[in-house]
Amino acid sequence: MVIKNVSLETVCGITSKIPDNKLPEVAFAGKSNVGKSSLINGLMNRKSLARTSSQPGKTQTINFYNINNALYLVDLPGYGYAKASVKVKEQWGRMVENYLHKSRQLKCVFHLIDIRHKPSENDRVMYDWILHNGYEPIIIATKLDKIKKSQVQGQLDLILDTLDAAEGTVIIPFSAQTKQGREEIYEILDGILEEKK
């Protein structure tokens, strides 16, 4: 995949209506500090289109990025942010659930997990939620450059075991620093575009 044009086309807040897009959509879900914005910027070859922040929980909207007028990359609000109030967390949850239920064009959900840690209870809930809505999540194990090569396979196994992931679940180790894993994600996006033809 060669990304030529990227624009932030739609921003949906808690009260917004989910857009009825005509192009395929791929969504990215993950904990607030999992490196979602860095991944999205890395995929789009942009330094700061998706805002990265030292403050977790910055993405409080569903952001639709139009890629090459061929596909939407959908950035979902980060979950598990401790400082958000219970009410706000519930609203974010409803917003994400509403999107997973109502989008007619959602083809794939990438679920980001920090490779350094065992998945949290929030990660497990989100994973089950994605499955419950009829999608087979593709796991992206972020922050690959933060661990030793000898640790990688063990951490990938730990993630799959903790999530009780089905056999054959795709898991892609990813580093925003080195861009390792980016080509594998591009291949999945290319496959989605091929299906559309």
Side-chain angles (χ1 to χ4, degrees), residues 138-170:
I138 292 168
I139 300 167
I140 300 179
T142 60
K143 310 199 180 187
L144 176 63
D145 47 282
K146 309 277 190 198
I147 64 170
K148 295 176 185 159
K149 278 188 180 168
S150 59
Q151 296 174 293
V152 172
Q153 192 55 54
Q155 289 304 110
L156 296 179
D157 291 343
L158 177 66
I159 289 170
L160 291 171
D161 288 348
T162 306
L163 295 175
D164 199 17
E167 203 173 323
T169 295
V170 177

Side-chain angles (χ1 to χ4, degrees), residues 13-56:
I14 286 160
T15 57
S16 307
K17 188 172 177 285
I18 298 294
D20 186 15
N21 291 323
K22 302 295 181 255
L23 300 174
E25 297 169 359
V26 294
F28 290 77
K31 240 181 352 194
S32 319
N33 55 353
V34 76
K36 191 153 50 68
S37 298
S38 299
L39 167 74
I40 289 169
N41 287 329
L43 287 177
M44 297 191 290
N45 294 316
R46 301 294 190 277
K47 282 232 165 76
S48 57
L49 195 62
R51 272 175 265 155
T52 57
S53 170
S54 55
Q55 258 185 311

Side-chain angles (χ1 to χ4, degrees), residues 9-187:
E9 189 171 290
T10 312
V11 176
C12 282
I14 286 160
T15 57
S16 307
K17 188 172 177 285
I18 298 294
D20 186 15
N21 291 323
K22 302 295 181 255
L23 300 174
E25 297 169 359
V26 294
F28 290 77
K31 240 181 352 194
S32 319
N33 55 353
V34 76
K36 191 153 50 68
S37 298
S38 299
L39 167 74
I40 289 169
N41 287 329
L43 287 177
M44 297 191 290
N45 294 316
R46 301 294 190 277
K47 282 232 165 76
S48 57
L49 195 62
R51 272 175 265 155
T52 57
S53 170
S54 55
Q55 258 185 311
K58 200 77 177 162
T59 308
Q60 299 182 13
T61 50
I62 300 177
N63 299 332
F64 291 79
Y65 295 93
N66 184 322
I67 312 288
N68 296 345
N69 286 317
L71 170 92
Y72 284 101
L73 194 154
V74 184
D75 183 8
L76 300 175
Y79 57 82
Y81 178 46
K83 287 188 180 172
S85 70
V86 172
K87 186 182 176 192
V88 167
K89 285 181 191 170
E90 283 175 1
Q91 287 173 329
W92 290 354
R94 277 200 298 275
M95 186 162 64
V96 172
E97 189 171 33
N98 185 39
Y99 169 68
L100 292 175
H101 272 316
K102 292 195 174 167
S103 169
R104 293 183 196 163
Q105 294 295 344
L106 181 57
K107 305 300 179 196
C108 168
V109 181
F110 292 96
H111 188 193
L112 280 62
I113 306 280
D114 188 330
I115 197 168
R116 298 172 299 175
H117 308 300
K118 181 178 178 179
S120 67
E121 184 57 29
N122 281 324
D123 289 325
R124 291 178 57 181
V125 167
M126 187 70 200
Y127 184 78
D128 290 343
W129 211 14
I130 296 167
L131 283 173
H132 178 70
N133 279 283
Y135 299 97
E136 287 181 20
I138 292 168
I139 300 167
I140 300 179
T142 60
K143 310 199 180 187
L144 176 63
D145 47 282
K146 309 277 190 198
I147 64 170
K148 295 176 185 159
K149 278 188 180 168
S150 59
Q151 296 174 293
V152 172
Q153 192 55 54
Q155 289 304 110
L156 296 179
D157 291 343
L158 177 66
I159 289 170
L160 291 171
D161 288 348
T162 306
L163 295 175
D164 199 17
E167 203 173 323
T169 295
V170 177
I171 184 166
I172 301 170
F174 178 84
S175 164
Q177 299 296 320
T178 67
K179 305 295 184 282
Q180 185 178 332
R182 184 166 70 172
E183 290 306 316
E184 288 94 322
I185 298 169
Y186 282 161
E187 278 178 29

